[in-house]
């Protein structure tokens, strides 16, 4: 009826003919009626069926255009509302993440686990992983959450391969899954992990966390014990490898991008310098890690480890 009213206004030859609504309540069910139509005081006799057909043929082009406009506008409004809704959810999610409300964040985002939005999905992967690491999470629940996180990260990557965060969290989640799949899978996954960390850095060179994680990858393989290297060589012709120098380069690069962004980066700078037998620079970075303000439980643990390492090689002197 709204379309009909709008149509009526755009039919100049019809204005003034009908004093009331465009269609009376019974008109839709009437066929072939003869009726007297009044036009500015003159009486015109005609067949209503013929008139209605003429009216419909005249109205169809406009009615189709009007319907198209209305549906198009409705689609735009719906799409815009959907975008605003996703933005609102992401804002809530980021607030909860910054507040350390891991369980509330997970509960919020799992309501939208069927989403097609990559930004929402990688955040859900992160929330699943963080929930898995809570002290109150059982081993069985942890395993389920780890695999769940990987699936969300994989979907995020499918939806948007240009998302650096999707690449980063996919790599992190693959690494976590390796703990349940044995040494062979873990080593095989190392290549994939490196590839996605490198892609994340390429897409966003200013993300200190991705650079730091690439440093951890290098440090891990530089530190790999000889027996694990031997197993890796038996399983793969060219097993992944790295050096402490490479790890150090990434840790420094992360620090340059965002100074003092993470206590663990400071600790690993100190530990890497220790591996390279540079005690002076090791002490410098370990001291920074020890004095880093403890905002989280991890920060407290890093403070303790840094203090122990400092005590250890100071006593030897």
């Amino acid at each position: 009826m709204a379309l009909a009213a709008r149509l009526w206004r755009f039919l100049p030859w019809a204005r003034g003919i009908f004093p009331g609504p465009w269609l009376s309540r019974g008109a839709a069910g009437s066929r072939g009626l003869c009726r007297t139509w009044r036009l500015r005081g003159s009486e015109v006799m005609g067949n209503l069926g013929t008139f209605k057909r003429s009216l419909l043929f005249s109205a169809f082009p406009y009615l189709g255009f009007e319907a198209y406009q209305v549906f198009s506008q409705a689609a735009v409004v719906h799409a815009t509302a959907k975008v605003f809704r996703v933005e609102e959810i992401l804002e809530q999610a980021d607030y909860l993440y910054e507040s350390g409300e891991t369980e509330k964040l997970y509960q919020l985002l799992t309501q939208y686990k069927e989403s097609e939005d990559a930004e929402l999905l990688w955040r859900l992967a992160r929330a699943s992983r963080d929930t898995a690491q809570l002290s109150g999470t059982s081993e069985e629940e942890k395993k389920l959450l780890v695999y769940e996180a990987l699936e969300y990260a994989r979907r995020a990557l499918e939806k948007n391969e240009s998302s650096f965060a999707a690449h980063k969290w996919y790599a992190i989640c693959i690494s976590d899954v390796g703990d349940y799949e044995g040494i062979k899978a873990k080593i095989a996954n190392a290549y994939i992990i490196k590839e996605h960390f490198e892609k994340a850095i390429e897409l966003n060179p200013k993300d200190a966390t991705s650079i730091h994680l690439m440093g951890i990858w290098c440090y891990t393989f530089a530190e790999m014990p000889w027996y694990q290297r031997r197993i890796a060589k038996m399983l793969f012709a060219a097993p992944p490898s790295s050096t402490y120098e490479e790890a150090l380069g990434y840790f420094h690069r992360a620090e340059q991008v965002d100074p003092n962004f993470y206590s663990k980066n400071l600790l690993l700078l100190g530990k890497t310098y220790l591996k390279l037998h540079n005690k002076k620079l090791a002490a410098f970075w370990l001291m920074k890690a020890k004095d880093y303000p403890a905002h989280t439980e991890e920060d407290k643990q890093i403070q303790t480890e840094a203090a122990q390492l400092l005590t250890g090689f100071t006593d030897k002197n």
Side-chain angles (χ1 to χ4, degrees), residues 34 40 60 96 100 124 136 138 154 156 161 168 177 219 232 253 255 267 285 305 314:
C34 290
R40 298 182 183 179
F60 273 150
L96 290 172
L124 182 50
S138 69
R154 182 190 62 77
E161 290 187 355
K168 176 170 71 177
V177 165
Y219 187 93
R253 183 176 166 187
E255 206 61 32
L267 176 69
W285 291 105
E305 185 177 353
T314 301

Side-chain angles (χ1 to χ4, degrees), residues 174-212:
I174 289 177
S175 179
D176 289 344
V177 165
D179 292 338
Y180 298 98
E181 298 191 346
I183 186 68
K184 185 175 181 179
K186 200 162 189 174
I187 294 171
N189 286 341
Y191 295 101
I192 302 170
I193 292 165
K194 183 182 182 184
E195 176 188 338
H196 286 283
F197 280 147
E198 287 176 337
K199 188 64 178 177
I201 294 167
E202 178 189 326
L203 290 167
N204 186 1
K206 296 298 182 183
D207 181 49
T209 308
S210 296
I211 302 168
H212 165 80

Side-chain angles (χ1 to χ4, degrees), residues 10-312:
F10 282 86
L11 296 176
W13 50 266
R15 291 174 190 160
I17 297 178
F18 303 112
W22 182 53
L23 290 175
S24 65
R25 292 180 65 184
S30 302
R31 289 181 293 178
L33 297 177
C34 290
R35 187 170 293 180
T36 301
W37 306 99
R38 295 192 176 274
L39 179 59
R40 298 182 183 179
S42 304
E43 291 188 354
V44 181
M45 293 296 294
N47 183 285
L48 181 58
T50 303
F51 177 79
K52 285 169 73 178
R53 284 195 296 273
S54 175
L55 174 63
L56 285 172
F57 288 140
S58 301
F60 273 150
Y62 181 77
L63 187 60
F65 176 69
E66 281 285 288
Y68 169 77
Q69 280 193 318
V70 170
F71 291 133
S72 295
Q73 289 169 5
V76 170
V77 169
H78 177 72
T80 304
K82 188 176 180 181
V83 169
F84 283 135
R85 177 61 177 155
V86 170
E87 289 298 323
E88 182 184 330
I89 295 164
L90 296 182
E91 284 180 12
Q92 291 176 29
D94 290 344
Y95 174 77
L96 290 172
Y97 180 74
E98 294 298 328
S99 303
E101 297 283 359
T102 303
E103 290 174 292
K104 288 181 181 178
L105 175 59
Y106 178 72
Q107 289 167 6
L108 168 70
L109 293 179
T110 47
Q111 296 177 67
Y112 310 99
K113 61 184 179 182
E114 302 303 324
S115 172
E116 301 293 307
D117 190 275
E119 291 297 302
L120 197 152
L121 287 168
W122 72 252
R123 283 173 171 81
L124 182 50
R126 180 180 66 184
S128 300
R129 181 181 187 271
D130 288 349
T131 304
Q133 294 183 333
L134 293 175
S135 58
T137 305
S138 69
E139 283 302 313
E140 185 180 349
E141 288 175 320
K142 181 177 180 179
K143 184 176 180 180
L144 289 172
L145 285 163
V146 163
Y147 278 93
E148 184 181 294
L150 178 59
E151 177 60 18
Y152 294 137
R154 182 190 62 77
R155 284 175 52 204
L157 202 54
E158 284 180 354
K159 299 304 175 187
N160 185 4
E161 290 187 355
S162 297
S163 168
F164 84 92
H167 282 280
K168 176 170 71 177
W169 285 98
Y170 184 64
I172 292 169
C173 292
I174 289 177
S175 179
D176 289 344
V177 165
D179 292 338
Y180 298 98
E181 298 191 346
I183 186 68
K184 185 175 181 179
K186 200 162 189 174
I187 294 171
N189 286 341
Y191 295 101
I192 302 170
I193 292 165
K194 183 182 182 184
E195 176 188 338
H196 286 283
F197 280 147
E198 287 176 337
K199 188 64 178 177
I201 294 167
E202 178 189 326
L203 290 167
N204 186 1
K206 296 298 182 183
D207 181 49
T209 308
S210 296
I211 302 168
H212 165 80
L213 291 168
M214 191 63 238
I216 289 182
W217 189 96
C218 294
Y219 187 93
T220 301
F221 284 99
E223 194 180 40
M224 182 184 283
W226 67 267
Y227 62 90
Q228 288 186 1
R229 289 182 192 277
R230 189 170 181 178
I231 294 170
K233 285 181 181 179
M234 290 171 62
L235 295 172
F236 300 93
S241 63
S242 189
T243 65
Y244 290 118
E245 286 81 4
E246 283 183 285
L248 190 67
Y250 281 110
F251 295 141
H252 270 299
R253 183 176 166 187
E255 206 61 32
Q256 288 165 2
V257 166
D258 192 0
N260 297 315
F261 76 103
Y262 188 24
S263 59
K264 192 169 185 177
N265 199 63
L266 302 175
L267 176 69
L268 283 167
L269 275 162
K271 291 176 74 170
T272 307
Y273 272 117
L274 272 180
K275 295 289 185 181
L276 294 170
H277 310 291
N278 188 330
K279 290 185 177 181
K280 184 177 180 180
L281 285 174
F284 173 80
W285 291 105
L286 289 172
M287 189 65 71
K288 285 177 72 81
K290 183 178 76 70
D291 294 338
Y292 192 90
H295 300 296
T296 65
E297 190 61 37
E298 183 184 41
D299 290 334
K300 294 175 184 177
Q301 293 170 2
I302 285 167
Q303 282 182 341
T304 301
E305 185 177 353
Q308 290 172 347
L309 288 168
L310 282 166
T311 302

